[in-house]
Amino acid sequence: QVSLVESGGGSVQSGGSLRLSCVASEDIWSTYCMGWFRQAPGKEREGVASIDSDGATNYADSVKGRFTISQDNSQNTLYLQMNSLKPEDTAMYYCAANPTRCLFTARSYWGQGTQVTVSS
C-alpha cells in the first residue's frame, strides 16, 4: 500500500508562485506514473500534469507554460512548481500514483490533498 502526502499549498495573489510537494512512502518512481490533479468547488476533478517512469511529462492546456512537474527520486518526492497563478487555479490539489500506466482511476493511490487559493 503506497501512501502519498501532499504539502505546499497556501494562499497567494494572482501572478504569484507556489511549489507543491508529494512524498511517497516507498520508492515507486521506476515503475509508477505520477500525477497532479485538482478539484475546485462544484467542479469535477481534473488532471493537471503527469510524469511517467521514463520522465515523459504531460500537461493540461490550462497550465502549459506555467506549471512544471518534476520528481526527486532520492527523496521519494514529486513536485509541482506553479508560476503565474490565476484565480481560476484555486482548487484542492491531489497527488496520485498508478502502476505502470498514466491511467488514473479510483483504484490508483491518492493523497489527501492540499488547498491552493489564488486571489485577484
Side-chain angles (χ1 to χ4, degrees), residues 48-91:
V48 175
S50 64
I51 182 167
D52 69 16
S53 57
D54 293 325
T57 59
N58 190 47
Y59 296 92
D61 288 342
S62 59
V63 307
K64 280 181 181 177
R66 300 189 298 123
F67 291 11
T68 303
I69 189 171
S70 63
Q71 59 192 40
D72 183 340
N73 294 3
S74 67
Q75 300 293 324
N76 284 354
T77 303
L78 179 74
Y79 299 102
L80 184 68
Q81 178 67 45
M82 305 186 296
N83 299 328
S84 302
L85 283 161
K86 305 175 181 180
E88 51 264 43
D89 295 318
T90 295

Side-chain angles (χ1 to χ4, degrees), residues 8-18 20 37-46 48 62-63 66-67 80 82-94 113-120:
S11 297
V12 296
Q13 290 191 329
S14 182
S17 298
L18 284 173
L20 306 184
F37 291 75
R38 66 187 182 186
Q39 187 168 19
K43 295 186 177 182
E44 293 186 355
R45 187 175 296 187
E46 63 173 351
V48 175
S62 59
V63 307
R66 300 189 298 123
F67 291 11
L80 184 68
M82 305 186 296
N83 299 328
S84 302
L85 283 161
K86 305 175 181 180
E88 51 264 43
D89 295 318
T90 295
M92 184 71 77
Y93 282 71
Y94 298 91
T114 185
Q115 178 67 39
V116 171
T117 303
V118 184
S119 58
S120 57

